[in-house]
Amino acid sequence: MLDERDRDIIARLCGDLGEERRPFLAIAEACGVSEEELFARIERYRAQSILRRFGAMIRHQRAGFAANALSVWVIPEAAIAEAGEKIAAIPEVSHCYQRPPLPDWPYTLYAMIHGQSEVECHAVAARIAAMVQVTDYQLLFTRREFKKTSRQYFESPSDMPIA
Amino acid sequence: MTLLSPLERAVLNRIQYDFPVASDPYAVLADALGASAEAVHAAVLLLRERGIIRRIGGSFDARRLGYVTVLAATRVTPEMIEAVAERINAFPDVTHNYERAGAYNLWFTVISASAARIAQILEAVRQCPGVEVVHALPAERIFKLRVDFQVREDGDA
């Protein structure tokens, strides 16, 4: 369980560590704990899989991924688990989720594909199609990025999930 | 395209997955990368300045923190898409918002403290001029969720 101090620490860790040479010291001080206590709590968040990763968030486009496509696949319910695992193993795929179909939208498996070009993304999709033996799919290329941020958690009293 | 030095490349490859949680993190990185702590710190500051590093921090599991998430598939009249995107972006609960090719042309993700709050946001979007339809697509199963990528070793990064 998370106490009030945990929520305060997590709220700060969602932000940017800053440019200091010893960046955790300021966070520890602001939260009223020692650095050691802060590190112990962060390790606990990791162990409990609350914290997925602590690291640098980089800009994909500037780091060389020129084409990004949300690929959507029509896969029967019985085959989804196997297909999902296979697609998840592909390095060019960053996210892979099962989602419900819509009346005019039969797709149930969603996988984000990243490549240096649209051609490269199509090639990855063709590989997936052959692997999972599905021909009904679409690549929804990213045309414009309107927003891409990290969520700030526990920032205000009105933004607290009911425990 | 941005050219990265070998040290910058090595630093990015390491810290996008794991920035040391330690009193002197740059000294820990220096040991691992065979450079001085000062050089590693300077490289990170420069990567920030160039906008390649957006931030250094934690990526938390929204669901495990008690939050509710959804992907919204939206169809918007093309002339109105910018105005609608702006309205959607104004919600702090919205983390990603992309225009995509296809029958649904605006896709955004919402992370909220409750399902009721998500319903409220989607309803507000439905009321925006130009919005034809908004569908909530919750994740039923997660096969993979990876935040970042290896910076390539070859060519321009």
Side-chain angles (χ1 to χ4, degrees), chain A residues 47-59:
Chain A
Q48 295 173 342
S49 301
I50 293 169
L51 176 62
R52 287 202 311 257
R53 182 173 65 107
F54 194 91
M57 316 293 158
I58 64 168
R59 258 185 234 284

Side-chain angles (χ1 to χ4, degrees), chain B residues 138-149:
Chain B
E140 295 177 325
R141 211 168 345 177
I142 299 172
F143 294 105
K144 188 176 198 176
L145 197 173
R146 193 182 65 202
V147 190
D148 269 309
F149 302 90

